[in-house]
mmCIF file of all heavy atoms in Angstrom:
data_model
loop_
_atom_site.group_PDB
_atom_site.id
_atom_site.type_symbol
_atom_site.label_atom_id
_atom_site.label_comp_id
_atom_site.label_asym_id
_atom_site.label_seq_id
_atom_site.Cartn_x
_atom_site.Cartn_y
_atom_site.Cartn_z
ATOM 1 N N GLU A 1 17.629 -39.912 57.813
ATOM 2 C CA GLU A 1 18.369 -40.475 58.944
ATOM 3 C C GLU A 1 17.514 -41.467 59.727
ATOM 4 O O GLU A 1 17.988 -42.522 60.152
ATOM 5 C CB GLU A 1 18.854 -39.339 59.855
ATOM 6 C CG GLU A 1 19.899 -38.442 59.208
ATOM 7 C CD GLU A 1 20.255 -37.264 60.097
ATOM 8 O OE1 GLU A 1 19.587 -37.104 61.151
ATOM 9 O OE2 GLU A 1 21.192 -36.514 59.754
ATOM 10 N N SER A 2 16.235 -41.118 59.897
ATOM 11 C CA SER A 2 15.326 -42.030 60.595
ATOM 12 C C SER A 2 15.150 -43.338 59.829
ATOM 13 O O SER A 2 15.115 -44.420 60.413
ATOM 14 C CB SER A 2 13.971 -41.354 60.810
ATOM 15 O OG SER A 2 13.051 -42.248 61.411
ATOM 16 N N GLN A 3 15.063 -43.230 58.496
ATOM 17 C CA GLN A 3 14.905 -44.436 57.673
ATOM 18 C C GLN A 3 16.160 -45.301 57.727
ATOM 19 O O GLN A 3 16.074 -46.530 57.754
ATOM 20 C CB GLN A 3 14.601 -44.034 56.227
ATOM 21 C CG GLN A 3 14.263 -45.212 55.331
ATOM 22 C CD GLN A 3 13.021 -45.948 55.790
ATOM 23 O OE1 GLN A 3 12.009 -45.327 56.092
ATOM 24 N NE2 GLN A 3 13.092 -47.267 55.848
ATOM 25 N N VAL A 4 17.333 -44.656 57.790
ATOM 26 C CA VAL A 4 18.583 -45.407 57.919
ATOM 27 C C VAL A 4 18.595 -46.186 59.238
ATOM 28 O O VAL A 4 18.975 -47.363 59.284
ATOM 29 C CB VAL A 4 19.794 -44.461 57.822
ATOM 30 C CG1 VAL A 4 21.079 -45.184 58.206
ATOM 31 C CG2 VAL A 4 19.916 -43.905 56.414
ATOM 32 N N ASP A 5 18.191 -45.524 60.319
ATOM 33 C CA ASP A 5 18.125 -46.212 61.612
ATOM 34 C C ASP A 5 17.129 -47.365 61.563
ATOM 35 O O ASP A 5 17.385 -48.447 62.115
ATOM 36 C CB ASP A 5 17.736 -45.228 62.712
ATOM 37 C CG ASP A 5 18.801 -44.162 62.931
ATOM 38 O OD1 ASP A 5 19.964 -44.416 62.547
ATOM 39 O OD2 ASP A 5 18.477 -43.087 63.484
ATOM 40 N N GLN A 6 15.971 -47.145 60.923
ATOM 41 C CA GLN A 6 14.962 -48.190 60.815
ATOM 42 C C GLN A 6 15.488 -49.363 59.987
ATOM 43 O O GLN A 6 15.239 -50.533 60.324
ATOM 44 C CB GLN A 6 13.688 -47.622 60.191
ATOM 45 C CG GLN A 6 12.519 -48.604 60.139
ATOM 46 C CD GLN A 6 12.018 -48.960 61.520
ATOM 47 O OE1 GLN A 6 12.096 -48.161 62.437
ATOM 48 N NE2 GLN A 6 11.500 -50.178 61.675
ATOM 49 N N ASN A 7 16.223 -49.055 58.926
ATOM 50 C CA ASN A 7 16.799 -50.116 58.105
ATOM 51 C C ASN A 7 17.813 -50.945 58.907
ATOM 52 O O ASN A 7 17.863 -52.179 58.787
ATOM 53 C CB ASN A 7 17.463 -49.533 56.863
ATOM 54 C CG ASN A 7 16.454 -48.948 55.892
ATOM 55 O OD1 ASN A 7 15.270 -49.240 55.960
ATOM 56 N ND2 ASN A 7 16.925 -48.094 54.994
ATOM 57 N N ALA A 8 18.621 -50.258 59.707
ATOM 58 C CA ALA A 8 19.598 -50.966 60.535
ATOM 59 C C ALA A 8 18.896 -51.880 61.540
ATOM 60 O O ALA A 8 19.317 -53.016 61.776
ATOM 61 C CB ALA A 8 20.502 -49.967 61.261
ATOM 62 N N LEU A 9 17.800 -51.388 62.147
ATOM 63 C CA LEU A 9 17.036 -52.202 63.086
ATOM 64 C C LEU A 9 16.414 -53.411 62.394
ATOM 65 O O LEU A 9 16.411 -54.529 62.933
ATOM 66 C CB LEU A 9 15.951 -51.341 63.748
ATOM 67 C CG LEU A 9 15.067 -52.036 64.787
ATOM 68 C CD1 LEU A 9 15.906 -52.568 65.937
ATOM 69 C CD2 LEU A 9 14.003 -51.069 65.315
ATOM 70 N N THR A 10 15.909 -53.192 61.185
ATOM 71 C CA THR A 10 15.317 -54.298 60.420
ATOM 72 C C THR A 10 16.365 -55.347 60.081
ATOM 73 O O THR A 10 16.113 -56.555 60.173
ATOM 74 C CB THR A 10 14.670 -53.756 59.138
ATOM 75 O OG1 THR A 10 13.665 -52.799 59.475
ATOM 76 C CG2 THR A 10 14.030 -54.878 58.348
ATOM 77 N N GLU A 11 17.554 -54.901 59.695
ATOM 78 C CA GLU A 11 18.628 -55.839 59.389
ATOM 79 C C GLU A 11 19.007 -56.648 60.630
ATOM 80 O O GLU A 11 19.260 -57.856 60.545
ATOM 81 C CB GLU A 11 19.841 -55.081 58.857
ATOM 82 C CG GLU A 11 19.626 -54.484 57.470
ATOM 83 C CD GLU A 11 20.834 -53.691 56.997
ATOM 84 O OE1 GLU A 11 21.813 -53.601 57.781
ATOM 85 O OE2 GLU A 11 20.805 -53.179 55.868
ATOM 86 N N THR A 12 19.028 -55.997 61.806
ATOM 87 C CA THR A 12 19.327 -56.718 63.047
ATOM 88 C C THR A 12 18.266 -57.778 63.333
ATOM 89 O O THR A 12 18.580 -58.901 63.736
ATOM 90 C CB THR A 12 19.415 -55.731 64.218
ATOM 91 O OG1 THR A 12 20.412 -54.750 63.948
ATOM 92 C CG2 THR A 12 19.758 -56.455 65.511
ATOM 93 N N ARG A 13 17.002 -57.415 63.113
ATOM 94 C CA ARG A 13 15.921 -58.373 63.337
ATOM 95 C C ARG A 13 16.014 -59.541 62.361
ATOM 96 O O ARG A 13 15.751 -60.687 62.732
ATOM 97 C CB ARG A 13 14.578 -57.670 63.200
ATOM 98 C CG ARG A 13 14.265 -56.688 64.326
ATOM 99 C CD ARG A 13 12.955 -55.976 64.073
ATOM 100 N NE ARG A 13 12.619 -55.088 65.186
ATOM 101 C CZ ARG A 13 11.568 -54.256 65.193
ATOM 102 N NH1 ARG A 13 10.769 -54.205 64.117
ATOM 103 N NH2 ARG A 13 11.330 -53.486 66.229
ATOM 104 N N ILE A 14 16.396 -59.252 61.113
ATOM 105 C CA ILE A 14 16.526 -60.325 60.119
ATOM 106 C C ILE A 14 17.623 -61.294 60.533
ATOM 107 O O ILE A 14 17.472 -62.520 60.442
ATOM 108 C CB ILE A 14 16.798 -59.723 58.726
ATOM 109 C CG1 ILE A 14 15.561 -58.974 58.219
ATOM 110 C CG2 ILE A 14 17.193 -60.817 57.737
ATOM 111 C CD1 ILE A 14 15.778 -58.240 56.919
ATOM 112 N N VAL A 15 18.744 -60.746 61.004
ATOM 113 C CA VAL A 15 19.839 -61.610 61.469
ATOM 114 C C VAL A 15 19.383 -62.459 62.651
ATOM 115 O O VAL A 15 19.669 -63.661 62.720
ATOM 116 C CB VAL A 15 21.056 -60.749 61.858
ATOM 117 C CG1 VAL A 15 22.126 -61.610 62.524
ATOM 118 C CG2 VAL A 15 21.626 -60.048 60.628
ATOM 119 N N ARG A 16 18.625 -61.847 63.567
ATOM 120 C CA ARG A 16 18.121 -62.589 64.733
ATOM 121 C C ARG A 16 17.150 -63.695 64.301
ATOM 122 O O ARG A 16 17.209 -64.817 64.812
ATOM 123 C CB ARG A 16 17.414 -61.611 65.690
ATOM 124 C CG ARG A 16 16.823 -62.259 66.917
ATOM 125 C CD ARG A 16 17.897 -62.704 67.875
ATOM 126 N NE ARG A 16 17.314 -63.303 69.059
ATOM 127 C CZ ARG A 16 16.899 -62.620 70.120
ATOM 128 N NH1 ARG A 16 16.996 -61.281 70.119
ATOM 129 N NH2 ARG A 16 16.414 -63.229 71.168
ATOM 130 N N LEU A 17 16.292 -63.400 63.341
ATOM 131 C CA LEU A 17 15.347 -64.403 62.848
ATOM 132 C C LEU A 17 16.077 -65.550 62.156
ATOM 133 O O LEU A 17 15.682 -66.716 62.294
ATOM 134 C CB LEU A 17 14.334 -63.750 61.897
ATOM 135 C CG LEU A 17 13.305 -62.827 62.547
ATOM 136 C CD1 LEU A 17 12.463 -62.147 61.474
ATOM 137 C CD2 LEU A 17 12.408 -63.590 63.505
ATOM 138 N N LYS A 18 17.132 -65.239 61.415
ATOM 139 C CA LYS A 18 17.916 -66.286 60.764
ATOM 140 C C LYS A 18 18.554 -67.195 61.809
ATOM 141 O O LYS A 18 18.583 -68.425 61.652
ATOM 142 C CB LYS A 18 18.985 -65.664 59.870
ATOM 143 C CG LYS A 18 18.435 -65.025 58.590
ATOM 144 C CD LYS A 18 19.554 -64.464 57.728
ATOM 145 C CE LYS A 18 19.010 -63.874 56.433
ATOM 146 N NZ LYS A 18 20.092 -63.297 55.582
ATOM 147 N N GLU A 19 19.091 -66.602 62.878
ATOM 148 C CA GLU A 19 19.687 -67.405 63.939
ATOM 149 C C GLU A 19 18.633 -68.297 64.611
ATOM 150 O O GLU A 19 18.895 -69.469 64.898
ATOM 151 C CB GLU A 19 20.343 -66.489 64.982
ATOM 152 C CG GLU A 19 21.551 -65.722 64.447
ATOM 153 C CD GLU A 19 22.093 -64.754 65.472
ATOM 154 O OE1 GLU A 19 21.445 -64.591 66.539
ATOM 155 O OE2 GLU A 19 23.162 -64.172 65.233
ATOM 156 N N GLN A 20 17.452 -67.734 64.873
ATOM 157 C CA GLN A 20 16.388 -68.522 65.479
ATOM 158 C C GLN A 20 15.911 -69.633 64.546
ATOM 159 O O GLN A 20 15.587 -70.730 65.003
ATOM 160 C CB GLN A 20 15.225 -67.610 65.868
ATOM 161 C CG GLN A 20 15.546 -66.651 67.002
ATOM 162 C CD GLN A 20 14.388 -65.737 67.329
ATOM 163 O OE1 GLN A 20 13.412 -65.642 66.565
ATOM 164 N NE2 GLN A 20 14.478 -65.050 68.451
ATOM 165 N N PHE A 21 15.876 -69.339 63.237
ATOM 166 C CA PHE A 21 15.453 -70.360 62.275
ATOM 167 C C PHE A 21 16.439 -71.520 62.253
ATOM 168 O O PHE A 21 16.048 -72.684 62.130
ATOM 169 C CB PHE A 21 15.325 -69.738 60.884
ATOM 170 C CG PHE A 21 14.858 -70.713 59.839
ATOM 171 C CD1 PHE A 21 13.522 -71.072 59.752
ATOM 172 C CD2 PHE A 21 15.765 -71.278 58.949
ATOM 173 C CE1 PHE A 21 13.085 -71.983 58.793
ATOM 174 C CE2 PHE A 21 15.336 -72.180 57.986
ATOM 175 C CZ PHE A 21 13.997 -72.534 57.917
ATOM 176 N N GLU A 22 17.733 -71.204 62.380
ATOM 177 C CA GLU A 22 18.735 -72.258 62.407
ATOM 178 C C GLU A 22 18.592 -73.123 63.660
ATOM 179 O O GLU A 22 18.994 -74.288 63.657
ATOM 180 C CB GLU A 22 20.142 -71.645 62.347
ATOM 181 C CG GLU A 22 20.443 -70.965 61.014
ATOM 182 C CD GLU A 22 21.775 -70.249 61.029
ATOM 183 O OE1 GLU A 22 22.405 -70.208 62.108
ATOM 184 O OE2 GLU A 22 22.191 -69.736 59.967
ATOM 185 N N GLN A 23 18.018 -72.561 64.744
ATOM 186 C CA GLN A 23 17.825 -73.309 65.983
ATOM 187 C C GLN A 23 16.428 -73.914 66.075
ATOM 188 O O GLN A 23 16.052 -74.442 67.122
ATOM 189 C CB GLN A 23 18.045 -72.383 67.186
ATOM 190 C CG GLN A 23 19.432 -71.776 67.247
ATOM 191 C CD GLN A 23 19.562 -70.760 68.367
ATOM 192 O OE1 GLN A 23 18.596 -70.440 69.047
ATOM 193 N NE2 GLN A 23 20.763 -70.252 68.556
ATOM 194 N N LEU A 24 15.676 -73.870 64.977
ATOM 195 C CA LEU A 24 14.288 -74.311 65.016
ATOM 196 C C LEU A 24 14.170 -75.785 65.382
ATOM 197 O O LEU A 24 13.329 -76.162 66.204
ATOM 198 C CB LEU A 24 13.622 -74.041 63.661
ATOM 199 C CG LEU A 24 12.113 -74.322 63.585
ATOM 200 C CD1 LEU A 24 11.362 -73.475 64.594
ATOM 201 C CD2 LEU A 24 11.595 -74.035 62.173
ATOM 202 N N ASP A 25 15.015 -76.631 64.817
ATOM 203 C CA ASP A 25 14.947 -78.066 65.120
ATOM 204 C C ASP A 25 15.252 -78.330 66.593
ATOM 205 O O ASP A 25 14.592 -79.153 67.238
ATOM 206 C CB ASP A 25 15.922 -78.829 64.225
ATOM 207 C CG ASP A 25 15.497 -78.819 62.761
ATOM 208 O OD1 ASP A 25 14.287 -78.584 62.505
ATOM 209 O OD2 ASP A 25 16.355 -79.024 61.887
ATOM 210 N N ALA A 26 16.249 -77.624 67.119
ATOM 211 C CA ALA A 26 16.590 -77.803 68.529
ATOM 212 C C ALA A 26 15.444 -77.328 69.434
ATOM 213 O O ALA A 26 15.142 -77.958 70.453
ATOM 214 C CB ALA A 26 17.876 -77.048 68.867
ATOM 215 N N LEU A 27 14.809 -76.216 69.055
ATOM 216 C CA LEU A 27 13.688 -75.711 69.837
ATOM 217 C C LEU A 27 12.501 -76.673 69.781
ATOM 218 O O LEU A 27 11.802 -76.876 70.786
ATOM 219 C CB LEU A 27 13.278 -74.327 69.332
ATOM 220 C CG LEU A 27 14.297 -73.201 69.543
ATOM 221 C CD1 LEU A 27 13.818 -71.919 68.880
ATOM 222 C CD2 LEU A 27 14.522 -72.969 71.035
ATOM 223 N N ARG A 28 12.268 -77.272 68.621
ATOM 224 C CA ARG A 28 11.188 -78.247 68.504
ATOM 225 C C ARG A 28 11.464 -79.465 69.375
ATOM 226 O O ARG A 28 10.556 -80.002 70.028
ATOM 227 C CB ARG A 28 11.020 -78.660 67.050
ATOM 228 C CG ARG A 28 10.340 -77.599 66.178
ATOM 229 C CD ARG A 28 10.317 -78.020 64.724
ATOM 230 N NE ARG A 28 9.563 -77.071 63.908
ATOM 231 C CZ ARG A 28 9.512 -77.111 62.585
ATOM 232 N NH1 ARG A 28 10.164 -78.068 61.926
ATOM 233 N NH2 ARG A 28 8.809 -76.210 61.912
ATOM 234 N N ALA A 29 12.719 -79.919 69.405
ATOM 235 C CA ALA A 29 13.073 -81.060 70.257
ATOM 236 C C ALA A 29 12.905 -80.707 71.732
ATOM 237 O O ALA A 29 12.424 -81.521 72.527
ATOM 238 C CB ALA A 29 14.517 -81.486 69.974
ATOM 239 N N GLU A 30 13.277 -79.475 72.091
ATOM 240 C CA GLU A 30 13.109 -79.039 73.481
ATOM 241 C C GLU A 30 11.637 -78.970 73.852
ATOM 242 O O GLU A 30 11.241 -79.353 74.960
ATOM 243 C CB GLU A 30 13.768 -77.673 73.658
ATOM 244 C CG GLU A 30 13.748 -77.157 75.089
ATOM 245 C CD GLU A 30 14.448 -75.822 75.241
ATOM 246 O OE1 GLU A 30 15.099 -75.379 74.270
ATOM 247 O OE2 GLU A 30 14.342 -75.226 76.331
ATOM 248 N N LEU A 31 10.802 -78.499 72.916
ATOM 249 C CA LEU A 31 9.366 -78.434 73.170
ATOM 250 C C LEU A 31 8.784 -79.834 73.325
ATOM 251 O O LEU A 31 7.947 -80.074 74.202
ATOM 252 C CB LEU A 31 8.671 -77.691 72.025
ATOM 253 C CG LEU A 31 7.139 -77.630 72.095
ATOM 254 C CD1 LEU A 31 6.681 -76.917 73.361
ATOM 255 C CD2 LEU A 31 6.572 -76.941 70.862
ATOM 256 N N ALA A 32 9.228 -80.764 72.486
ATOM 257 C CA ALA A 32 8.723 -82.137 72.590
ATOM 258 C C ALA A 32 9.095 -82.748 73.929
ATOM 259 O O ALA A 32 8.285 -83.449 74.558
ATOM 260 C CB ALA A 32 9.290 -82.973 71.442
ATOM 261 N N SER A 33 10.320 -82.478 74.405
ATOM 262 C CA SER A 33 10.735 -82.988 75.715
ATOM 263 C C SER A 33 9.913 -82.356 76.829
ATOM 264 O O SER A 33 9.510 -83.038 77.782
ATOM 265 C CB SER A 33 12.225 -82.698 75.926
ATOM 266 O OG SER A 33 12.637 -83.090 77.216
ATOM 267 N N ALA A 34 9.645 -81.051 76.711
ATOM 268 C CA ALA A 34 8.844 -80.366 77.735
ATOM 269 C C ALA A 34 7.420 -80.907 77.771
ATOM 270 O O ALA A 34 6.817 -81.020 78.844
ATOM 271 C CB ALA A 34 8.843 -78.866 77.484
ATOM 272 N N ARG A 35 6.876 -81.277 76.602
ATOM 273 C CA ARG A 35 5.517 -81.804 76.566
ATOM 274 C C ARG A 35 5.436 -83.208 77.145
ATOM 275 O O ARG A 35 4.354 -83.656 77.519
ATOM 276 C CB ARG A 35 4.994 -81.782 75.133
ATOM 277 C CG ARG A 35 4.587 -80.390 74.682
ATOM 278 C CD ARG A 35 4.015 -80.388 73.281
ATOM 279 N NE ARG A 35 3.453 -79.081 72.944
ATOM 280 C CZ ARG A 35 2.983 -78.766 71.748
ATOM 281 N NH1 ARG A 35 3.007 -79.663 70.774
ATOM 282 N NH2 ARG A 35 2.485 -77.561 71.515
ATOM 283 N N LEU A 36 6.560 -83.914 77.192
ATOM 284 C CA LEU A 36 6.571 -85.203 77.884
ATOM 285 C C LEU A 36 6.519 -84.984 79.395
ATOM 286 O O LEU A 36 5.876 -85.742 80.120
ATOM 287 C CB LEU A 36 7.825 -85.995 77.508
ATOM 288 C CG LEU A 36 7.898 -86.523 76.072
ATOM 289 C CD1 LEU A 36 9.230 -87.213 75.833
ATOM 290 C CD2 LEU A 36 6.745 -87.473 75.788
ATOM 291 N N GLN A 37 7.208 -83.962 79.880
ATOM 292 C CA GLN A 37 7.216 -83.666 81.309
ATOM 293 C C GLN A 37 5.884 -83.067 81.756
ATOM 294 O O GLN A 37 5.367 -83.422 82.828
ATOM 295 C CB GLN A 37 8.357 -82.703 81.639
ATOM 296 C CG GLN A 37 9.735 -83.290 81.382
ATOM 297 C CD GLN A 37 10.835 -82.304 81.711
ATOM 298 O OE1 GLN A 37 10.590 -81.128 81.999
ATOM 299 N NE2 GLN A 37 12.065 -82.765 81.664
ATOM 300 N N ILE A 38 5.353 -82.143 80.967
ATOM 301 C CA ILE A 38 4.063 -81.522 81.272
ATOM 302 C C ILE A 38 3.199 -81.646 80.023
ATOM 303 O O ILE A 38 3.268 -80.802 79.131
ATOM 304 C CB ILE A 38 4.229 -80.043 81.682
ATOM 305 C CG1 ILE A 38 5.166 -79.919 82.879
ATOM 306 C CG2 ILE A 38 2.874 -79.425 82.022
ATOM 307 C CD1 ILE A 38 5.420 -78.499 83.326
ATOM 308 N N PRO A 39 2.402 -82.700 79.918
ATOM 309 C CA PRO A 39 1.635 -82.934 78.685
ATOM 310 C C PRO A 39 0.495 -81.945 78.530
ATOM 311 O O PRO A 39 0.162 -81.180 79.446
ATOM 312 C CB PRO A 39 1.123 -84.368 78.870
ATOM 313 C CG PRO A 39 1.065 -84.553 80.348
ATOM 314 C CD PRO A 39 2.207 -83.761 80.918
ATOM 315 N N THR A 40 -0.121 -81.999 77.349
ATOM 316 C CA THR A 40 -1.231 -81.097 77.051
ATOM 317 C C THR A 40 -2.582 -81.697 77.423
ATOM 318 O O THR A 40 -3.604 -81.050 77.226
ATOM 319 C CB THR A 40 -1.232 -80.751 75.550
ATOM 320 O OG1 THR A 40 -1.324 -81.967 74.788
ATOM 321 C CG2 THR A 40 0.050 -80.027 75.167
#
């Protein structure tokens, strides 16, 4: 039962990572804009 719960949590994390990966280009563009406002 514990392994089933752990598997469900892992699947949720995988779905979340896939969603974040799909937003990677947008996040990179947001980071580039932020670095123009506050440079390194």
